[in-house]
Amino acid sequence: QVQLQESGPGVVKPSQTLSLTCTVSGGSISSGGYYWSWIRQHPGKGLEWIGYIYYSGSTDYNPSLKSRVAISVDTSKNQFSLKVSSVTAADTAVYFCARGSMTYDFWGQGTLVTVSP
Amino acid sequence: DIQMTQSPSSLSASVGDRVTITCRASQSISSYLNWYQQKPEKAPKLLISAASNLQSGVPSRFSGTGSGTEFTLTISSLQPEDFATYYCQQSYSSPLTFGGGTTVEIK
C-alpha cells in the first residue's frame, strides 16, 4: 500500500518561499508509471491543483501559480518537493501531495501552511 | 480552463435516503470525470474514476453516470459514514480543476 507524508514548516512569512516535501513509502517513485502531484485547499474552500512531476523530472503546473511554483524530485530519497515563492496570505492552505497526474488515488494527510508575519 | 460546477452546494438528508449530486463541465470532457469524498480534517478519497468506474473497496451504493458535460453521483441508500463533502474533478485537460463541492449533512 502506497503511503505519502507531507513535511515542512507550518508557518511562512510573507514574501518568503514555502517549501514542502512529500515522502513516499510502499512504492518507488523511480519505478515509473505514475506522476506525483501537489494540491492545496484554502481554509473552508475547495481544491486547487498546483502541479505534478514525473520521476524523470518532467513537470506541469497550474498557470495561475506557474510563475511562483517549482516541483522537484529526489528519487534517491523517494521524495518530491514543492516550492512556492513570494508567498502572501492567499497561499495559506492545507497542502496535499498525491499520486497521479489527472486522477489521484493515494493522498497524504495534508499539512497546513499559514503565511503570517 | 474548464470550469466545474456542482449542485447543490449542500443538502440535508436522512439515513436511507437516495442522494444525487450533479456536476457540470463548461465544455465537453467525454468521460474524464472523477468523484472524491472528503471528511473533515482528512484527505479526499477517490470514489469513482472515468465517470462510472467504482474504485476497489468503495461500497456499491455509490454510482456515477454521465458523459460530455453533465455527470451525476448517486448514493442509493445514505449511510451514517457517507456524511461528507463530495467533489468532482475533470481529468480531461490541464489545468486539472475541481468542482466547488457538495456537503451532505444529516437531516
Side-chain angles (χ1 to χ4, degrees):
Chain A
Q1 179 85 339
V2 174
Q3 293 185 312
L4 299 90
Q5 177 68 58
E6 305 89 350
S7 59
V11 180
V12 181
K13 293 185 184 325
S15 80
Q16 294 192 343
T17 296
L18 176 162
S19 296
L20 295 173
T21 295
C22 182
T23 301
V24 179
S25 58
S28 173
I29 286 179
S30 58
S31 64
Y34 295 101
Y35 286 75
W36 304 90
S37 294
W38 287 98
I39 295 158
R40 71 182 183 179
Q41 185 169 36
H42 295 103
K45 302 294 185 182
L47 298 156
E48 179 181 31
W49 173 71
I50 299 172
Y52 62 65
I53 192 165
Y54 196 53
Y55 79 97
S56 61
S58 173
T59 57
D60 190 18
Y61 300 125
N62 192 325
S64 69
L65 296 166
K66 189 172 185 176
S67 64
R68 300 192 295 124
V69 166
I71 299 176
S72 58
V73 64
D74 185 338
T75 55
S76 67
K77 295 181 179 179
N78 221 33
Q79 296 175 333
F80 62 106
S81 298
L82 170 71
K83 291 187 185 299
V84 182
S85 62
S86 305
V87 298
T88 69
D91 294 306
T92 292
V94 174
Y95 286 76
F96 295 99
C97 58
R99 189 179 78 168
S101 59
M102 313 291 263
T103 298
Y104 312 109
D105 55 358
F106 290 98
W107 296 64
Q109 65 186 24
T111 187
L112 174 63
V113 178
T114 302
V115 178
S116 174
Chain B
D1 299 5
I2 298 175
Q3 307 302 315
M4 306 301 294
T5 304
Q6 284 182 241
S7 61
S9 57
S10 66
L11 65 89
S12 295
S14 301
V15 172
D17 283 355
R18 181 182 182 87
V19 169
T20 299
I21 299 168
T22 298
C23 178
R24 289 186 174 87
S26 61
Q27 66 182 73
S28 178
I29 57 171
S30 184
S31 295
Y32 292 93
L33 190 283
N34 302 320
W35 289 99
Y36 299 85
Q37 175 194 65
Q38 187 178 33
K39 296 183 178 179
E41 311 303 319
K42 296 292 186 182
K45 173 187 176 182
L46 179 64
L47 297 177
I48 289 171
S49 63
S52 61
N53 183 27
L54 196 69
Q55 295 301 290
S56 175
V58 176
S60 60
R61 62 181 179 273
F62 290 92
S63 63
T65 61
S67 66
T69 62
E70 188 154 335
F71 303 85
T72 59
L73 172 69
T74 299
I75 309 172
S76 60
S77 178
L78 198 65
Q79 297 302 300
E81 60 268 30
D82 301 336
F83 292 95
T85 299
Y86 294 85
Y87 292 94
C88 62
Q89 174 241 326
Q90 63 85 10
S91 56
Y92 181 78
S93 66
S94 179
L96 290 310
T97 47
F98 293 83
T102 297
T103 300
V104 178
E105 300 170 324
I106 300 172
K107 191 171 188 178

